[in-house]
Amino acid sequence: MAIRYLKTHAALEGHLGAEDAEGLVEWLRAQARPQVHLGKCESLHAALLQTLLAFRPRIKAAPADRWLCAALGLEPPAASASAASTSGASASSAASAASFSSPSPAGSSE
């Protein structure tokens, strides 16, 4: 999909590429109080992420993607947060523990 420029906000929807960044920059510059809706945004190119970080428009709806929310300094939507926390909590904790655990001494058995 792409970006829909509406009366009150820009709606970023689907998978967005670098080619959408220039239009968003122009639109953000033209708005007195820019707002964006990311509720249907599935992924976006780094150029768009940098644009959002540089202009800091008001976010009407956060994206479902937890990483993108974190990158933008947003809380993930409630429904996504609870579903992700119940399904991915143990995997996430295990991955964190694995990445921060010290290696066992050579020759030791576990």
Side-chain angles (χ1 to χ4, degrees):
M1 291 189 175
I3 302 174
R4 292 186 303 133
Y5 298 101
L6 307 169
K7 289 181 183 180
T8 61
H9 65 276
L12 284 69
E13 301 173 345
H15 302 279
L16 300 155
E19 65 278 1
D20 296 309
E22 187 175 351
L24 182 61
V25 167
E26 291 173 10
W27 184 85
L28 289 167
R29 284 185 176 152
Q31 303 304 306
R33 294 189 180 121
Q35 299 181 59
V36 296
H37 188 292
L38 300 171
K40 294 182 181 179
C41 179
E42 296 177 43
S43 67
L44 50 82
H45 190 274
L48 285 163
L49 176 59
Q50 291 171 344
T51 298
L52 294 172
L53 291 171
F55 282 89
R56 288 288 183 194
R58 181 176 172 270
I59 307 294
K60 288 186 68 140
D65 184 86
R66 295 178 63 80
W67 184 91
L68 185 53
C69 284
L72 292 168
L74 304 171
E75 291 292 323
S80 296
S82 62
S85 66
T86 57
S87 66
S90 59
S92 164
S93 300
S96 295
S99 64
F100 291 108
S101 63
S102 58
S104 20
S108 69
S109 59
E110 292 185 30

